[in-house]
Amino acid sequence: MTMLKIVAFKLGEEEYGLDIDQVLSIERIEHITRVPNAPPFVKGVINLRGKVNPVIDLRSKLNLGQADYTENTRVIITKYDEIELGFIVDQTSDVIDVAPEAIESIASSVFESSYFGGIAKIEGRLIILLKLAELIVAATD
């Protein structure tokens, strides 16, 4: 049985996770250059080691309200196909191994389920797994 490795992070009180294979790095939030006419959830672009990456405020994208950036705020740099994108999160927690049987699917139409790949139940924690491909497609449309 293959364990799934996820990077866990927080948006408010809830924990979310992304597949570690899609995460390039986790960075402190630095200067973000605003981009004119961008959707509200696109905060702008950052220059990271000579490469310009768009930055998405994940709270805003998922309609979770606004948060002030703090010492714990991070940008998770992700890669899907040839697209590199940064997601602003409130804080990163840890890297966790998740057994496939610990993931429960979200079969409810109550959720915008295209972004959610299920909920991992680990040691009393509920971690909402995000689908990077759908988030990136939604962010680049």
Side-chain angles (χ1 to χ4, degrees):
M1 157 185 17
T2 310
M3 298 289 266
L4 174 68
K5 265 196 184 320
I6 62 165
V7 174
F9 58 90
K10 285 196 160 186
L11 296 173
E13 295 303 306
E14 281 73 44
E15 277 195 290
Y16 293 82
L18 282 170
D19 185 329
I20 197 164
D21 292 337
Q22 298 172 321
V23 174
L24 296 177
S25 65
I26 297 170
E27 308 290 335
R28 288 187 177 277
I29 196 158
E30 293 188 21
H31 179 73
I32 297 174
T33 302
R34 300 279 309 160
V35 177
N37 297 323
F41 59 85
V42 176
K43 289 301 162 201
V45 295
I46 57 172
N47 182 352
L48 188 62
R49 294 183 274 287
K51 193 164 191 172
V52 175
N53 287 309
V55 177
I56 304 294
D57 186 317
L58 201 48
R59 267 178 168 266
S60 177
K61 179 68 193 145
L62 298 175
N63 295 319
L64 297 173
Q66 291 296 317
D68 294 327
Y69 298 152
T70 69
E71 276 293 301
N72 295 324
T73 303
R74 294 291 180 268
V75 178
I76 299 177
I77 304 296
T78 61
K79 183 169 183 160
Y80 178 76
D81 283 343
E82 294 304 308
I83 301 169
E84 286 185 23
L85 204 57
F87 290 102
I88 300 171
V89 302
D90 293 348
Q91 71 182 78
T92 51
S93 312
D94 43 10
V95 175
I96 308 169
D97 288 320
V98 181
E101 62 271 12
I103 299 173
E104 212 165 279
S105 66
I106 303 175
S108 168
S109 59
V110 174
F111 299 106
E112 173 54 60
S113 59
S114 63
Y115 300 149
F116 304 119
I119 296 183
K121 295 185 290 191
I122 305 147
E123 299 163 12
R125 293 161 70 181
L126 292 179
I127 301 172
I128 301 166
L129 302 177
L130 296 175
K131 294 182 182 174
L132 184 62
E134 281 77 357
L135 278 171
I136 285 181
V137 166
T140 54
D141 276 352

